[in-house]
Amino acid sequence: MNTRFLPLLLFFALLARVSPAQELNCQVIVNTDQAKFTATTDRQVFPQMQAFMTDFLNNRRWTTDTYGPQEKINCRLQINVIEVPAPNVYRCRTQVLVTRPVYGTNYETVTLRYMDNDFSFNYNPADPMYFNENTYQNELTSLLAFHALVMLGYDYDTFSRQGGKPYFQRAYNILNLVPPGGGWGQTGDLRNRYWLIENLQNQQFIPFHDALYTYHRLAMDAFAQNPAAARQQILNVLTTVQQISQQRPNSVVINSFFDTKGEELYNILFEGTAPERQRAFGILSQLDPGKTELYRKLLR
């Protein structure tokens, strides 16, 4: 049984499952519009690359839970090729996007929006691409597996309290197997994969995992029935996130939270009371200053 959905058994009638399926419904897009090519670059490789990534993510069992087709996690990898500096070598930036349905509505909320700015790998369609989660095989399968497990972790966190912990641990294990450097290391970009999984594994961020559950399961899933109570839950989440940010300022997990939720938070809180909107503006403008003008409209 899929333990991720245990709190929602009565809502979604999950006991009616009859056939297992893989967990991810991931759309992979390999975009080359901005790429710098050499004269020898084979541009026909990109559809093959996209097909390989799609198959790797969607046709692999990542958990021991049983999923029905309607339970698959909707996600997307937008892989923007920046440069092909040598044959079979690809430098990319990749946006990771994960969504989940909100109970009682036709709305899907984004649970994770993350930009991996150093998604670089070798790929030759003629070479076999092996993967073993317990040993390092190659860069591309490590990248894909890392992000698959992070996506699973975020999704499970929204359905059960700290439900994503085993998947974040597995992503951390993959990081430890990869040769250091690039987005896997402590140096350089403070929003890279190392710092993402460091945050998600760090004890200081346990309240963040609880906040993901509160936001999605206790607030969003209950919003259609009781919007006022849901807004109070979301304001409590913002207070928790603010407290975490005071301990770990400018952390990638907090920044990604507001990249993911900023506009949604504004839309939800816009209908709140004047004191709620004032409180929300104070927190949001402090933690997500890039959207201050949007949040200022809460003070209407």
Side-chain angles (χ1 to χ4, degrees):
M1 181 179 293
N2 184 349
T3 56
R4 150 179 172 267
F5 284 100
L6 284 177
L8 298 181
L9 284 173
L10 294 178
F11 294 150
F12 295 115
L14 300 183
L15 292 177
R17 292 192 202 97
V18 294
S19 61
Q22 280 70 34
E23 301 87 351
L24 299 180
N25 177 32
C26 192
Q27 179 187 24
V28 178
I29 301 168
V30 177
N31 184 290
T32 61
D33 291 348
Q34 305 299 318
K36 297 179 181 178
F37 295 124
T38 65
T40 59
T41 299
D42 178 9
R43 304 192 189 192
Q44 299 303 313
V45 74
F46 296 110
Q48 296 170 281
M49 179 189 297
Q50 181 172 297
F52 167 78
M53 295 179 181
T54 301
D55 179 75
F56 183 90
L57 292 167
N58 292 337
N59 293 324
R60 185 176 301 274
R61 292 297 302 273
W62 297 101
T63 79
T64 58
D65 291 334
T66 300
Y67 276 63
Q70 76 282 4
E71 298 170 2
K72 287 190 176 187
I73 300 167
N74 292 325
C75 50
R76 185 177 74 210
L77 258 63
Q78 171 83 34
I79 299 169
N80 298 307
V81 180
I82 304 303
E83 184 181 9
V84 185
N88 305 323
V89 178
Y90 302 90
R91 290 185 55 249
C92 311
R93 296 191 184 99
T94 295
Q95 185 184 68
V96 180
L97 188 78
V98 186
T99 66
R100 118 212 234 291
V102 173
Y103 174 70
T105 75
N106 294 321
Y107 179 64
E108 288 222 348
T109 182
V110 179
T111 57
L112 173 64
R113 180 180 280 111
Y114 171 72
M115 181 62 73
D116 187 339
N117 289 313
D118 193 0
F119 195 94
S120 302
F121 55 89
N122 290 10
Y123 175 73
N124 183 343
D127 294 338
M129 298 291 284
Y130 298 111
F131 174 69
N132 183 325
E133 195 171 317
N134 298 311
T135 60
Y136 175 74
Q137 302 285 329
N138 59 75
E139 188 76 5
L140 179 55
T141 58
S142 293
L143 285 166
L144 294 173
F146 176 90
H147 284 300
L149 292 165
V150 168
M151 291 189 291
L152 281 161
Y154 264 85
D155 187 77
Y156 273 75
D157 260 1
T158 72
F159 283 100
S160 62
R161 198 175 296 277
Q162 297 183 41
K165 184 176 180 179
Y167 305 101
F168 296 132
Q169 177 63 56
R170 286 164 61 190
Y172 182 72
N173 292 343
I174 286 176
L175 177 139
N176 284 330
L177 291 171
V178 175
W184 303 106
Q186 299 182 40
T187 58
D189 184 3
L190 295 180
R191 300 188 67 172
N192 69 10
R193 292 182 298 279
Y194 174 88
W195 290 109
L196 174 66
I197 202 62
E198 188 279 338
N199 286 184
L200 292 169
Q201 284 282 95
N202 194 298
Q203 295 294 303
Q204 290 179 302
F205 287 87
I206 288 177
F208 176 78
H209 298 284
D210 292 339
L212 287 178
Y213 173 76
T214 299
Y215 185 104
H216 295 93
R217 182 70 194 92
L218 303 184
M220 295 298 289
D221 283 340
F223 194 88
Q225 290 74 36
N226 193 335
R231 273 191 288 271
Q232 282 300 311
Q233 291 279 13
I234 287 173
L235 285 168
N236 292 339
V237 165
L238 288 179
T239 299
T240 298
V241 172
Q242 184 181 44
Q243 292 168 349
I244 299 168
S245 183
Q246 289 169 354
Q247 298 178 28
R248 292 289 299 267
N250 202 35
S251 61
V252 57
V253 161
I254 301 303
N255 288 334
S256 293
F257 176 78
F258 289 107
D259 290 344
T260 302
K261 295 295 187 182
E263 292 188 11
E264 182 176 87
L265 285 163
Y266 165 76
N267 290 329
I268 290 170
L269 294 166
F270 186 80
E271 300 300 326
T273 65
E276 287 172 340
R277 289 184 278 109
Q278 180 71 49
R279 178 183 167 193
F281 173 75
I283 298 175
L284 291 169
S285 60
Q286 175 197 353
L287 298 182
D288 190 19
K291 299 188 190 74
T292 296
E293 291 310 307
L294 171 66
Y295 300 140
R296 198 180 303 280
K297 296 177 185 177
L298 293 169
L299 303 179
R300 68 187 192 285

